[in-house]
Amino acid sequence: MRYFIELSYNGSAYHGWQNQPTAISVQEVVEKGLSTLLKEPIAIVGAGRTDTGVHASQMFAHFDTEVGFEETQLTYKLNSFLPKDIAIKSVLKVNADAHARFDAVSRTYLYRIILSKNVFTFNNVLYVKQNLDVEKMKEASKILFEYKDFQCFSKTNTDVKTYNCDIMKAEWFFKDDELHFVVKADRFLRNMVRAIVGTMINIGLGKINVNDLHTIIKSKNRSEAGFSVPAHALYLTHVEYPDSIKLND
């Protein structure tokens, strides 16, 4: 049988989602928990590959097993076994061909910024000391919808076959004392969100003009885009799937 796990994690202590040969990852820790509880080697496949230090308030992964268990009980046992920075929300039986990565139709990320110093949230948000022209940043975010190829925001030397992404949502807004950037797309390139945010901050600081974003995207050159903002303020917040992946009992 194939199962989906819905989970969240604080990525501060991990070198990203994906297994690493010499560093600890979220995938490794969850696989160890499942393998211990189900008493057989379990490999999981995630909906994406968050980078070192990036968090997820919603992530999905799938695994296969013939071991029988009750989903609610396994969720409880996993949460008891896993460290405090990884939480399992549910375990769901799905169709045998359902795939956590390839069946996802969209992913949504949030980047959190504060414009005044806060001693309680500095580990989870980016503090920007300078004044930002948020209206220009909002204007720039609309330009993203005009393009599909975002190679300029991609980490170099990646093994992707295409740099095309369908951006469905990109907006800046204030929530309480924080400035949030939310972006939704069918897929994301490595480092893409952090590079977009860094470029937008440069626009907000007046270092580049709003219309310069057209030139940057058309260049397909990572060095033309802005800096990559720190990972600690980035969150994967939602992964969407078609209803067809669920098993009809």
Side-chain angles (χ1 to χ4, degrees), residues 27 31 35 41-45 62-64:
Q27 182 182 7
E31 285 180 341
S35 299
I42 298 292
I44 63 175
V45 177
H62 76 250
F63 70 94
D64 296 323

PDB file of all heavy atoms in Angstrom, residues 27 31 35 41-45 62-64:
ATOM      1  N   GLN A  27      14.313  14.416   5.697  1.00  0.00           N
ATOM      2  CA  GLN A  27      13.960  13.121   5.108  1.00  0.00           C
ATOM      3  C   GLN A  27      14.586  11.967   5.884  1.00  0.00           C
ATOM      4  O   GLN A  27      13.919  10.971   6.185  1.00  0.00           O
ATOM      5  CB  GLN A  27      14.423  13.086   3.651  1.00  0.00           C
ATOM      6  CG  GLN A  27      14.069  11.796   2.922  1.00  0.00           C
ATOM      7  CD  GLN A  27      14.585  11.775   1.488  1.00  0.00           C
ATOM      8  OE1 GLN A  27      15.317  12.671   1.073  1.00  0.00           O
ATOM      9  NE2 GLN A  27      14.206  10.769   0.727  1.00  0.00           N
ATOM     10  N   GLU A  31      12.451   9.071   7.798  1.00  0.00           N
ATOM     11  CA  GLU A  31      12.644   7.686   7.352  1.00  0.00           C
ATOM     12  C   GLU A  31      13.087   6.790   8.511  1.00  0.00           C
ATOM     13  O   GLU A  31      12.617   5.646   8.636  1.00  0.00           O
ATOM     14  CB  GLU A  31      13.685   7.635   6.232  1.00  0.00           C
ATOM     15  CG  GLU A  31      13.168   8.123   4.893  1.00  0.00           C
ATOM     16  CD  GLU A  31      14.211   8.071   3.784  1.00  0.00           C
ATOM     17  OE1 GLU A  31      15.424   8.004   4.105  1.00  0.00           O
ATOM     18  OE2 GLU A  31      13.823   8.112   2.606  1.00  0.00           O
ATOM     19  N   SER A  35      10.932   3.617   9.753  1.00  0.00           N
ATOM     20  CA  SER A  35      11.591   2.312   9.693  1.00  0.00           C
ATOM     21  C   SER A  35      11.612   1.644  11.061  1.00  0.00           C
ATOM     22  O   SER A  35      11.424   0.421  11.176  1.00  0.00           O
ATOM     23  CB  SER A  35      13.026   2.463   9.165  1.00  0.00           C
ATOM     24  OG  SER A  35      13.033   3.010   7.862  1.00  0.00           O
ATOM     25  N   PRO A  41      12.829  -1.381   6.455  1.00  0.00           N
ATOM     26  CA  PRO A  41      13.386  -0.166   5.842  1.00  0.00           C
ATOM     27  C   PRO A  41      12.324   0.578   5.047  1.00  0.00           C
ATOM     28  O   PRO A  41      11.665  -0.001   4.188  1.00  0.00           O
ATOM     29  CB  PRO A  41      14.486  -0.714   4.926  1.00  0.00           C
ATOM     30  CG  PRO A  41      14.784  -2.085   5.440  1.00  0.00           C
ATOM     31  CD  PRO A  41      13.504  -2.610   5.997  1.00  0.00           C
ATOM     32  N   ILE A  42      12.159   1.856   5.341  1.00  0.00           N
ATOM     33  CA  ILE A  42      11.175   2.694   4.656  1.00  0.00           C
ATOM     34  C   ILE A  42      11.896   3.862   3.988  1.00  0.00           C
ATOM     35  O   ILE A  42      12.662   4.573   4.632  1.00  0.00           O
ATOM     36  CB  ILE A  42      10.113   3.234   5.644  1.00  0.00           C
ATOM     37  CG1 ILE A  42       9.325   2.089   6.269  1.00  0.00           C
ATOM     38  CG2 ILE A  42       9.183   4.216   4.927  1.00  0.00           C
ATOM     39  CD1 ILE A  42       8.418   1.345   5.321  1.00  0.00           C
ATOM     40  N   ALA A  43      11.640   4.053   2.710  1.00  0.00           N
ATOM     41  CA  ALA A  43      12.140   5.216   1.980  1.00  0.00           C
ATOM     42  C   ALA A  43      10.961   6.108   1.641  1.00  0.00           C
ATOM     43  O   ALA A  43       9.886   5.615   1.279  1.00  0.00           O
ATOM     44  CB  ALA A  43      12.852   4.783   0.702  1.00  0.00           C
ATOM     45  N   ILE A  44      11.126   7.415   1.793  1.00  0.00           N
ATOM     46  CA  ILE A  44      10.045   8.348   1.505  1.00  0.00           C
ATOM     47  C   ILE A  44      10.443   9.295   0.381  1.00  0.00           C
ATOM     48  O   ILE A  44      11.626   9.570   0.174  1.00  0.00           O
ATOM     49  CB  ILE A  44       9.617   9.156   2.757  1.00  0.00           C
ATOM     50  CG1 ILE A  44      10.766  10.030   3.268  1.00  0.00           C
ATOM     51  CG2 ILE A  44       9.106   8.239   3.850  1.00  0.00           C
ATOM     52  CD1 ILE A  44      10.369  10.941   4.424  1.00  0.00           C
ATOM     53  N   VAL A  45       9.441   9.769  -0.351  1.00  0.00           N
ATOM     54  CA  VAL A  45       9.637  10.723  -1.445  1.00  0.00           C
ATOM     55  C   VAL A  45       8.853  11.981  -1.124  1.00  0.00           C
ATOM     56  O   VAL A  45       7.638  11.918  -0.912  1.00  0.00           O
ATOM     57  CB  VAL A  45       9.154  10.144  -2.786  1.00  0.00           C
ATOM     58  CG1 VAL A  45       9.291  11.184  -3.899  1.00  0.00           C
ATOM     59  CG2 VAL A  45       9.919   8.875  -3.129  1.00  0.00           C
ATOM     60  N   HIS A  62       5.486  10.521   0.367  1.00  0.00           N
ATOM     61  CA  HIS A  62       4.818   9.216   0.279  1.00  0.00           C
ATOM     62  C   HIS A  62       5.803   8.088   0.575  1.00  0.00           C
ATOM     63  O   HIS A  62       7.016   8.239   0.417  1.00  0.00           O
ATOM     64  CB  HIS A  62       4.125   9.021  -1.080  1.00  0.00           C
ATOM     65  CG  HIS A  62       5.029   8.702  -2.224  1.00  0.00           C
ATOM     66  ND1 HIS A  62       5.294   9.587  -3.253  1.00  0.00           N
ATOM     67  CD2 HIS A  62       5.734   7.572  -2.540  1.00  0.00           C
ATOM     68  CE1 HIS A  62       6.100   9.028  -4.133  1.00  0.00           C
ATOM     69  NE2 HIS A  62       6.393   7.813  -3.725  1.00  0.00           N
ATOM     70  N   PHE A  63       5.240   6.957   1.004  1.00  0.00           N
ATOM     71  CA  PHE A  63       6.035   5.759   1.231  1.00  0.00           C
ATOM     72  C   PHE A  63       5.177   4.534   0.973  1.00  0.00           C
ATOM     73  O   PHE A  63       3.945   4.603   0.977  1.00  0.00           O
ATOM     74  CB  PHE A  63       6.610   5.731   2.659  1.00  0.00           C
ATOM     75  CG  PHE A  63       5.594   5.516   3.748  1.00  0.00           C
ATOM     76  CD1 PHE A  63       5.322   4.251   4.253  1.00  0.00           C
ATOM     77  CD2 PHE A  63       4.896   6.599   4.287  1.00  0.00           C
ATOM     78  CE1 PHE A  63       4.390   4.060   5.268  1.00  0.00           C
ATOM     79  CE2 PHE A  63       3.965   6.416   5.299  1.00  0.00           C
ATOM     80  CZ  PHE A  63       3.710   5.141   5.797  1.00  0.00           C
ATOM     81  N   ASP A  64       5.841   3.407   0.731  1.00  0.00           N
ATOM     82  CA  ASP A  64       5.155   2.134   0.467  1.00  0.00           C
ATOM     83  C   ASP A  64       5.485   1.142   1.568  1.00  0.00           C
ATOM     84  O   ASP A  64       6.623   1.085   2.052  1.00  0.00           O
ATOM     85  CB  ASP A  64       5.602   1.549  -0.878  1.00  0.00           C
ATOM     86  CG  ASP A  64       5.228   2.428  -2.051  1.00  0.00           C
ATOM     87  OD1 ASP A  64       4.136   3.032  -2.024  1.00  0.00           O
ATOM     88  OD2 ASP A  64       6.034   2.530  -3.014  1.00  0.00           O
TER      89      ASP A  64
END
